[in-house]
Amino acid sequence: MKMIVTGGAGFIGSAVIRYLIKAHPDVTVINVDKLTYAGNLESLRDIEEHPNYHFEQVDICNAQEIERIFNQYRPDAIMHLAAESHVDRSIDGPAEFIQTNIAGTYILLEAAKQFWLGLDDKARAAFRFHHVSTDEVYGSLGKEGLFTETSTYKPNSPYSASKASSDHLVRAWHKTYGLPIVLTNCSNNYGPYQFPEKLIPLVALNALAGKPLPIYGKGDQIRDWLYVDDHARALYRVLTQGKIGETYNIGGHNEKQNIEVVKTICHILDELVPSHPAGVQAYADLITYVADRPGHDQRYAIDADKIKRDLDWVPEETFETGMKKTIQWYLDNSDWCERVQSGKYQQERLGLNV
Ligand SMILES: NC(=O)c1ccc[n+]([C@@H]2O[C@H](COP(=O)([O-])OP(=O)(O)OC[C@H]3O[C@@H](n4cnc5c(N)ncnc54)[C@H](O)[C@@H]3O)[C@@H](O)[C@H]2O)c1
């Protein structure tokens, strides 16, 4: 199988590519990535020389280049992950989110449709467009309940609204033109190679440097956490075995308050790096409550029964095992962390410019 993966230099995309190249020798991957601040080819160093791996530095909004890539590689499938993905950035500057997440998805859908229409019957039936999305499109839950595949879309941030729009476009290209799509909506991912602006790496790196650990509001917001390699396996399962036109929710059954997540990181670090920075007895002493994110969703929780029932997928990592692996990885890869942060982003607070 020849697969285009968009956003393959990002956090989840690179996990998907490492998994495909290592676990599925019959798959050839074409990574299409613009390399924004969040994209880093170092995350693919293990596999970059592999004959089944190709890289194209291309913006998904560039219709001509996307058409060339379809015609040159003649893929059997496309898994679309490229996106602007950080909620705080979407508050300060939504334009890039509208451009990449909505217009970029439209460009890919049109190019995929034209290519797919030109295939013979057998190849046309086998082709797949897999759109990778988030549980944030469903909005915020109260104390009870779970998001299912039929939950109403109620996005609250510019990021989630742009992802919701892209989900609707993908569904429409299926219903109107018959493009064979599958769609997945996943909960919060964590694991190695995540850009240090996101909660878990940010807290781990700040703690090690003796810097404050910012908790938005009271820290009582609840997220469901999934280890990134479990997500990668789920995506491949849906792409290869999912039913055309269907949505699958992916989650880890790990609902945690943000403050619990931060305290877990601190406890793991207390064990692994007992030589605390000067003046710090325990890493949790660095916890600092800061202004909440505007429009902050209170709770996300995923009902992942459909993918378990229909495709026999369940996560392999628990929150405890996944978190230990993750923190250990950040400790072992401080050079990666330094290099990806050597650009403009210096762990400053974003997302208050309303
Ligand atoms: N991180 C999560 O917890 C999570 C959860 C559910 C769904 N998702 C979705 O999964 C996908 C990947 O998320 P991530 O956390 O890996 O994101 P990321 O920000 O780490 O990576 C995004 C990648 O897309 C690339 N990119 C951005 N704009 C592009 C453009 N115009 N053209 C080509 N490439 C471009 C970037 O260079 C980067 O490599 C996104 O679609 C996101 O909405 C993420």
Side-chain angles (χ1 to χ4, degrees):
M1 175 162 67
K2 258 190 272 171
M3 248 174 90
I4 293 178
V5 175
T6 70
F11 167 47
I12 302 172
S14 68
V16 167
I17 294 178
R18 290 190 305 273
Y19 165 72
L20 290 173
I21 296 291
K22 288 177 185 167
H24 297 280
D26 56 328
V27 175
T28 294
V29 175
I30 302 101
N31 175 13
V32 177
D33 197 301
K34 176 183 171 182
L35 298 184
T36 67
Y37 78 96
N40 207 294
L41 291 179
E42 283 202 46
S43 310
L44 293 159
R45 202 171 255 178
D46 289 359
I47 55 87
E48 67 187 356
E49 301 295 337
H50 198 284
N52 288 359
Y53 172 73
H54 306 272
F55 174 62
E56 292 276 357
Q57 184 172 1
V58 165
D59 185 336
I60 57 164
C61 300
N62 183 337
Q64 252 183 344
E65 278 291 273
I66 294 296
E67 189 186 336
R68 171 189 64 78
I69 287 170
F70 270 96
N71 291 329
Q72 181 175 331
Y73 293 98
R74 308 199 60 76
D76 304 293
I78 170 166
M79 191 184 281
H80 172 35
L81 296 106
E84 288 292 335
S85 71
H86 189 38
V87 177
D88 287 346
R89 283 181 192 266
S90 81
I91 295 169
D92 291 349
E96 284 290 318
F97 288 71
I98 305 301
Q99 186 60 17
T100 287
N101 300 1
I102 307 179
T105 301
Y106 158 72
I107 302 266
L108 288 176
L109 284 167
E110 272 299 273
K113 184 185 88 184
Q114 288 311 326
F115 172 74
W116 169 74
L117 284 172
L119 295 173
D120 63 33
D121 288 352
K122 196 171 160 227
R124 200 183 299 174
F127 186 82
R128 292 288 182 279
F129 188 110
H130 181 168
H131 182 58
V132 178
S133 192
T134 164
D135 60 355
E136 301 192 28
V137 298
Y138 300 124
S140 188
L141 286 166
K143 284 200 171 75
E144 302 293 321
L146 299 169
F147 295 133
T148 71
E149 287 78 2
T150 54
S151 293
T152 314
Y153 273 48
K154 281 187 188 163
N156 290 321
S157 73
Y159 163 67
S160 55
S162 69
K163 290 297 291 187
S165 308
S166 65
D167 291 9
H168 291 323
L169 291 177
V170 172
R171 182 185 154 87
W173 259 243
H174 171 60
K175 291 283 179 190
T176 304
Y177 304 110
L179 189 69
I181 63 106
V182 282
L183 216 156
T184 48
N185 294 84
C186 187
S187 58
N188 276 31
N189 282 216
Y190 69 99
Y193 298 102
Q194 187 168 29
F195 192 76
E197 66 185 350
K198 302 275 169 76
L199 181 71
I200 290 175
L202 178 78
V203 165
L205 296 181
N206 275 9
L208 289 167
K211 290 188 193 165
L213 311 180
I215 304 289
Y216 292 5
K218 291 190 222 137
D220 58 354
Q221 308 84 3
I222 293 175
R223 301 290 178 263
D224 168 38
W225 293 92
L226 180 69
Y227 191 65
V228 67
D229 291 353
D230 278 328
H231 190 192
R233 282 191 310 105
L235 292 176
Y236 182 73
R237 186 73 56 90
V238 171
L239 177 73
T240 52
Q241 296 175 31
K243 212 166 138 205
I244 291 176
E246 295 277 314
T247 291
Y248 296 86
N249 280 354
I250 307 173
H253 304 289
N254 282 314
E255 277 186 57
K256 304 277 173 207
Q257 288 192 347
N258 285 346
I259 186 72
E260 278 180 87
V261 173
V262 172
K263 285 184 175 165
T264 303
I265 299 168
C266 291
H267 292 145
I268 296 175
L269 285 175
D270 285 333
E271 265 175 44
L272 297 178
V273 192
S275 55
H276 294 89
V280 176
Q281 306 289 318
Y283 290 101
D285 296 348
L286 294 165
I287 289 174
T288 310
Y289 291 88
V290 298
D292 206 352
R293 169 189 280 164
H296 206 171
D297 290 334
Q298 183 57 30
R299 175 169 168 256
Y300 305 141
I302 281 267
D303 177 347
D305 268 5
K306 179 176 173 182
I307 187 169
K308 179 179 178 192
R309 194 181 57 240
D310 294 357
L311 303 181
D312 194 27
W313 174 89
V314 284
E316 285 176 3
E317 298 290 345
T318 63
F319 186 67
E320 289 67 32
T321 59
M323 280 295 280
K324 276 204 172 135
K325 275 190 186 177
T326 303
I327 302 303
Q328 188 63 56
W329 187 90
Y330 281 98
L331 291 174
D332 294 342
N333 290 276
S334 52
D335 50 341
W336 180 89
C337 300
E338 270 162 39
R339 279 196 294 271
V340 299
Q341 292 176 102
S342 57
K344 242 177 101 200
Y345 176 68
Q346 300 293 333
Q347 287 161 266
E348 68 271 25
R349 175 75 195 267
L350 302 169
L352 289 175
N353 292 333
V354 288

